[in-house]
């Protein structure tokens, strides 16, 4: 396996790394554990992405000693809703995660926006890791810290800026 490319995002005390490379899911526990030692995780994903990548991510986290709860949601734009936000918030709290623990978004822009928003408000802001699985999420929605959901009055009208840690 080739080395990952590391892009350092210089944001002062919110600076973080973007890793680009093959086999990173299998190394997720090592990479997250190095940056956030002693952390536990909640993985937020959708049904399509879970079928393809969830087992690899979970195994990679466990290899690095990170236990994870999983919240799997329906795929699609309709998931960026208050109802599913509540489901994610409740899942994170039910897993008894603390602010220093991590919410991991495993999916496209829908999951990244929703999980990012949830991580920005649970316990007034938890650690957040983006694992973007669509091209749009990799080049656009996972970068810049914009998170949120849709309102009946329009798209992306409710959210927070919350930068990931990785
Ligand atoms: N936060 C931002 O700055 C920002 C920027 C641009 C877009 N967005 C948001 O991003 C969303 C669109 O993102 P998207 O196009 O990734 O949509 P998406 O998350 O709905 O993903 C599209 C489809 O691809 C599937 N999928 C994703 N990764 C996959 C994989 N590796 N294998 C198989 N299936 C996979 C998903 O299950 C889904 O069915 C919109 O809600 C948009 O508002 C946010």
């Amino acid at each position: 396996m080739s080395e990952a490319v590391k892009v350092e995002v210089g944001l002062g005390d919110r600076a973080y790394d973007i890793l680009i490379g093959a086999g990173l899911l299998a190394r997720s526990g090592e990479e997250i554990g190095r940056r956030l030692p002693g952390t536990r995780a909640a993985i937020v994903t959708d049904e399509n992405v879970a079928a393809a990548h969830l087992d690899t991510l979970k195994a990679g986290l466990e290899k690095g000693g990170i236990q994870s709860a999983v919240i799997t949601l329906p795929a699609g734009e309709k998931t960026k809703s208050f109802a599913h936000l509540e489901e994610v918030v409740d899942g994170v709290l039910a897993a008894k995660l603390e602010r220093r623990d991590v919410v991991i978004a495993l999916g496209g822009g829908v999951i990244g926006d929703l999980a990012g928003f949830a991580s920005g408000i649970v316990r007034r802001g938890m650690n957040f890791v983006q694992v973007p699985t669509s091209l749009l999420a990799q080049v656009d929605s996972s970068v810049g810290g914009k998170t949120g959901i849709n309102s009946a009055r329009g798209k992306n009208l409710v959210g927070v800026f919350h930068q990931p840690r990785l």
Side-chain angles (χ1 to χ4, degrees), residues 46-49 52-53 75-77 80 107-113 132-137 140-148 150 155-156:
D46 75 30
E47 286 160 355
N48 297 336
V49 179
H53 300 300
E77 186 67 28
K80 270 174 58 174
V110 164
I111 290 298
D113 280 8
T133 62
S134 69
L135 181 61
L136 181 142
D140 189 350
S141 64
S142 68
V143 184
K146 284 193 217 158
T147 74
N150 303 325
K155 249 176 81 63
N156 298 324

Side-chain angles (χ1 to χ4, degrees), residues 16 33-34 39 50 64 81 87 97 115 125 129 145 154-155 163:
Y16 69 95
R34 177 186 306 161
T39 198
S81 66
E87 190 176 339
L97 297 194
V129 167
K155 249 176 81 63
Q163 295 288 350

